[in-house]
Amino acid sequence: MAVTSDSTRIPLIAGNWKLNLDHLQSIAFVQKLAWTLQDAKLDFRKVEVAVFPPFTDIRSVQSLISADHYPLVFGSQDVSEHDSGAFTGEISGAFLKALDCSYAIVGHSERREYHHETNEQVGAKAAAAIRHGLVPVICVGETAEDLESRGPSAVPVEQLTIALAAVPKNADIVVAYEPVWAIGSGQAATPDQAEAVAAQLRLVVAEALGNDAAERTRILYGGSVKSGNIASFLREPNVDGALVGGASLVVDEFAKIARFQSHVGV
Ligand code: PEP
């Protein structure tokens, strides 16, 4: 099934804070980020900037963004596949929606590895997010061993195919292609490598959710993204943004990444 690249997809620059910044630090961070981007006259019609704080920060981030009308959005780093009930420690998509979250990351490789999340669970979490009006950011990516034994796209394609079996046709989703070997390693994939897998993943979305969904789904690259390499990824037709870990914790660096369109030659 042919899916063409569509320049109307607004790039998404997403900062995954992981287990960093408490609720007070989150307020200082978001304030400084908003001021930095506003001072730099970032055109928020051309790029969406999102932060993914720990759960305990979300209420603070919501209050600040809503009170000061910052053009930033936010989401959670995970969501329960369950809506309510006896699930100690879980967070419902309903609660996240009530705090104005736009997105929920599901299937980050750290959760797959440390919490043994399966592709089926990732699909159930994506479906739960959608049920509550959140857009799931579905993370997929191969380990160094997968790359060696199966090449770059087999595992991400398999992960996404299984997860999307639980997702309704035509749903709004974001996909993050994050080669595990590139996360936090300082060794990013090349733009060509990211593009090749992203193109395959778009075909998976087309097959599972339909061509319209595939055309509008943003596929992010993640793994050692910095201000110095972001523009090269965003030049690729199937790469529509970035999921940023380490570099999202430094305001000036994250702001430079969000301003990739102003980098020379873009
Ligand atoms: C991540 O963990 O999602 C990530 C991309 O991390 P980093 O940018 O630090 O490689």
Side-chain angles (χ1 to χ4, degrees):
M1 190 174 307
V3 178
T4 56
S5 93
D6 178 354
S7 59
T8 61
R9 293 189 291 270
I10 295 176
L12 172 61
I13 301 296
N16 174 13
W17 295 0
K18 309 190 184 187
L19 185 49
N20 295 289
L21 306 182
D22 67 21
H23 75 289
L24 293 175
Q25 292 168 317
S26 77
I27 292 172
F29 184 99
V30 169
Q31 240 162 9
K32 188 169 174 210
L33 178 63
W35 293 341
T36 305
L37 293 175
Q38 283 169 347
D39 283 354
K41 303 207 177 336
L42 182 74
D43 186 347
F44 285 95
R45 290 166 307 181
K46 293 195 178 152
V47 59
E48 187 177 22
V49 182
V51 293
F52 291 79
F55 287 123
T56 48
D57 296 2
I58 290 176
R59 175 67 170 145
S60 305
V61 168
Q62 176 209 23
S63 303
L64 177 65
I65 287 179
S66 130
D68 290 0
H69 306 291
Y70 291 148
L72 300 169
V73 296
F74 55 95
S76 61
Q77 298 174 18
D78 189 20
V79 62
S80 178
E81 62 197 272
H82 308 289
D83 294 347
S84 64
F87 301 104
T88 301
E90 294 285 282
I91 302 285
S92 168
F95 306 163
L96 296 169
K97 187 65 186 173
L99 292 178
D100 295 337
C101 282
S102 300
Y103 297 102
I105 293 174
V106 297
H108 191 280
S109 61
E110 287 153 13
R111 295 210 60 88
R112 291 178 187 267
E113 184 182 350
Y114 307 139
H115 301 272
H116 310 292
E117 289 188 6
T118 63
N119 292 322
E120 287 76 8
Q121 248 177 315
V122 172
K125 288 180 175 209
I130 291 164
R131 256 197 321 277
H132 295 291
L134 305 164
V135 174
V137 178
I138 305 173
C139 299
V140 296
E142 80 287 0
T143 63
E145 295 72 41
D146 296 332
L147 181 64
E148 181 79 22
S149 60
R150 301 181 61 189
S153 59
V155 167
V157 161
E158 182 177 285
Q159 290 173 329
L160 190 60
T161 304
I162 297 173
L164 290 187
V167 168
K169 283 244 178 266
N170 211 29
D172 281 330
I173 62 164
V174 170
V175 176
Y177 168 53
E178 300 205 295
V180 180
W181 48 269
I183 294 180
S185 67
Q187 191 206 337
T190 65
D192 282 357
Q193 286 172 320
E195 169 63 20
V197 179
Q200 293 288 315
L201 295 175
R202 197 173 303 285
L203 294 176
V204 173
V205 178
E207 191 64 39
L209 306 186
N211 275 331
D212 287 354
E215 291 284 358
R216 58 173 202 278
T217 293
R218 286 167 299 174
I219 301 183
L220 315 184
Y221 166 74
S224 297
V225 167
K226 309 260 182 301
S227 60
N229 62 16
I230 180 70
S232 61
F233 289 108
L234 269 294
R235 276 187 208 112
E236 299 296 338
N238 282 291
V239 178
D240 309 307
L243 183 55
V244 186
S248 77
L249 295 169
V250 181
V251 172
D252 290 338
E253 176 65 2
F254 188 57
K256 274 192 205 153
I257 294 172
R259 296 177 58 228
F260 72 91
Q261 283 158 336
S262 69
H263 297 195
V264 176
V266 180

